Amino acid sequence: MRAFIASSIGVTCAAVLALPLAVPAGAAPDTRTVPAESAGPVDVPGSTQSLPMWTLSAPSGRSTGDPTRAAAPEQGLPEREVHPFSLVGVVWDDANAELHGTVQVRTRATGTGAWSDWQDLETHNAEHSADPGTAERDSGTVRGSTAPLWVGDSDAVAVRVRPEAPDPQDRTGSVVPLPAGLRLELVDPGKDPQQLPATDTGTAVAAAGAVSAAGAQAATTADGRTAALSPSVLPALSKARSEAQGEAEAGLAPGAQPYIGPRPRIVTRKGWGADEKLRERKFVYTGKVKAAFIHHSATGNNYKCSQAPSVLRGIYRYHVKSSGWRDIGYNFAVDKCGNIYEGRAGGVTKAVLGAHTLGFNANSMGIAVLGTFTKSNPPAAAVNAVAKLTAWKLGLFGANPRGKVTLVSGGSNKYKKGKKAKLNVISGHRDGFATECPGARLYKKLGSARTSSAKLQGR
């Protein structure tokens, strides 16, 4: 995802010491030095601050009216200055533990000194992860996590995690504690890659067109890293050329009418500035791409389209360094202006195994629309981009966007492991898992996306 030169500016340090602006009465001051990532090469952009939380208030029986059944204590951090960051999330030790409660953050804008109101983080995020029993899930590095939130350039923060109060009507119910090892993750996505002079013809376009339809990751080094000369943008192709490339790769006879939509313009990982040293070196694939699961990133809508590469770098770093995944979870991302971005590494035409829809990552792809669409309508440009992307990518594998598909669950809260699920070829995340994702407003637009996608395939 890029047509740029990677920035040589990196933000690394051996340790981060976050100093509170104020400590509440009775709270022990935090004297711990918070480790950041170990120092790396100077060309590695971005950084992550990981701050352990402490108890902010003692439990009280007032929430239940019963002193013997007090809620678990609130945890968090008071207002404190930190190194600059733009994306925030909360993680904990056990990936299988649920956080029953609310997580809220306040941040201070760099330069203005203005503090935001308390903002909610989406706590139900376990459904965006690798399937149970896979090497990625069982790696020992995966942690529980909230969805990340994009807050823009900030230099101070406060966080509070409030546990769910016991039901006063249920005298037998036990108090559910907060997960162990709560930490606040502050992500600096680093600087944007430097854009090369814009050109419609010549060397840049020729270089991009020379890359095979196997995708951006075809141009890699021997160790699986993106090569310096790999393209920043894969240009849009006509339907005829997209079908010709698809036929060649699939070994189909000419004129087989594979119903492949025109390839849309795709910003590659290089284009959005992915630091390839963060992810695992090897690529992991699944059998085919039989379905597309649509998500919203739940990172909020307060970003400009020019900031989308930064948002992606923040999500990528949060997925890998904070959540312990092997790479960014989504196969593709779409911003609110309709720009399409390559996600998990392995080749944009390939069936890359993602970590986006718990139980249904096999034989599918995950597309995240950057933003939160529970109460906000998704822009038409974003919905149209989903249609264009699915028309092309599903077409490469012979899938009809208006069709149905039967997938075998790898285990979710909606379909037990091994159960067959008949789903739409273009489904929302909530179709495979009981979740709010992709937000009610985006979910309502999937019908029109299916129709448009099928038309683009020529069906």
Side-chain angles (χ1 to χ4, degrees):
M1 303 180 170
R2 46 200 152 174
F4 317 95
I5 298 174
S7 169
S8 63
I9 301 177
V11 182
T12 57
C13 57
V16 176
L17 180 59
L19 300 177
L21 299 180
V23 178
D30 185 6
T31 59
R32 292 166 290 188
T33 298
V34 182
E37 297 157 11
S38 57
V42 295
D43 62 342
V44 175
S47 65
T48 300
Q49 300 168 73
S50 186
L51 312 181
M53 298 188 202
W54 69 64
T55 299
L56 292 181
S57 62
S60 169
R62 289 179 295 175
S63 59
T64 63
D66 182 353
T68 65
R69 299 182 64 246
E74 178 180 324
Q75 292 190 40
L77 293 171
E79 294 178 355
R80 58 183 45 217
E81 293 182 346
V82 292
H83 288 287
F85 67 98
S86 297
L87 181 137
V88 60
V90 169
V91 301
W92 53 92
D93 294 341
D94 186 357
N96 296 315
E98 289 272 357
L99 194 160
H100 297 280
T102 60
V103 179
Q104 295 181 312
V105 296
R106 292 183 70 220
T107 56
R108 189 180 70 184
T110 302
T112 68
W115 281 89
S116 72
D117 294 331
W118 286 105
Q119 300 182 79
D120 293 319
L121 272 62
E122 175 56 61
T123 59
H124 300 292
N125 194 49
E127 61 268 27
H128 300 83
S129 62
D131 289 345
T134 60
E136 182 172 7
R137 179 73 179 189
D138 297 340
S139 65
T141 64
V142 178
R143 289 178 283 276
S145 62
T146 67
L149 180 68
W150 178 260
V151 294
D153 291 340
S154 305
D155 59 10
V157 67
V159 60
R160 62 189 184 194
V161 182
R162 291 178 168 172
E164 192 174 81
D167 184 353
Q169 304 302 319
D170 184 5
R171 295 292 178 177
T172 62
S174 58
V175 175
V176 180
L178 293 171
L182 286 170
R183 304 181 74 90
L184 178 66
E185 303 289 297
L186 305 175
V187 179
D188 168 17
K191 302 295 184 181
D192 283 329
Q194 295 177 4
Q195 188 170 6
L196 294 174
T199 177
D200 293 329
T201 59
T203 305
V205 173
V211 177
S212 77
Q217 294 300 332
T220 55
T221 61
D223 67 352
R225 305 304 182 191
T226 301
L229 296 180
S230 59
S232 301
V233 175
L234 297 179
L237 298 179
S238 66
K239 189 174 191 302
R241 189 172 176 188
S242 298
E243 288 181 344
Q245 285 193 356
E247 288 174 355
E249 289 212 349
L252 300 175
Q257 289 194 343
Y259 294 108
I260 299 172
R263 185 182 78 187
R265 176 182 180 274
I266 301 173
V267 181
T268 67
R269 291 172 64 91
K270 182 178 181 181
W272 55 264
D275 177 6
E276 301 298 349
K277 298 180 182 67
L278 292 181
R279 65 171 172 85
E280 285 189 9
R281 184 178 66 180
K282 296 182 180 179
F283 309 135
V284 180
Y285 299 96
T286 183
K288 296 184 67 176
V289 177
K290 299 180 179 180
F293 286 97
I294 312 304
H295 305 256
H296 66 172
S297 62
T299 46
N301 302 320
N302 295 324
Y303 72 93
K304 299 177 182 178
C305 291
S306 61
Q307 294 176 309
S310 293
V311 176
L312 271 175
R313 291 196 304 276
I315 294 173
Y316 171 42
R317 180 173 280 274
Y318 183 74
H319 282 181
V320 176
K321 303 299 291 187
S322 301
S323 302
W325 300 358
R326 63 181 308 276
D327 195 349
I328 190 171
Y330 307 113
N331 297 103
F332 294 92
V334 172
D335 69 24
K336 56 189 176 184
C337 290
N339 298 303
I340 298 170
Y341 303 85
E342 178 187 12
R344 182 164 284 208
V348 295
T349 66
K350 303 292 187 180
V352 178
L353 181 65
H356 49 82
T357 307
L358 183 67
F360 293 98
N361 290 305
N363 296 317
S364 74
M365 67 173 177
I367 302 171
V369 181
L370 299 180
T372 303
F373 303 106
T374 304
K375 298 179 180 179
S376 299
N377 289 322
V383 178
N384 290 337
V386 169
K388 293 176 183 178
L389 177 58
T390 52
W392 170 70
K393 184 62 181 278
L394 291 173
L396 295 177
F397 293 87
N400 182 349
R402 286 186 300 199
K404 300 282 186 179
V405 64
T406 299
L407 300 176
V408 178
S409 174
S412 77
N413 66 356
K414 199 168 185 177
Y415 296 96
K416 292 182 179 180
K417 186 175 183 178
K419 185 176 179 61
K420 294 182 178 180
K422 188 174 184 179
L423 304 168
N424 289 310
V425 169
I426 297 179
S427 285
H429 186 183
R430 63 175 61 183
D431 294 319
F433 196 101
T435 174
E436 286 288 326
C437 187
R441 299 293 182 90
L442 177 55
Y443 187 76
K444 288 181 179 179
K445 299 294 184 180
L446 296 188
S448 62
R450 295 182 191 106
T451 299
S452 298
S453 182
K455 287 181 178 179
L456 287 167
Q457 285 189 350
R459 296 181 187 271

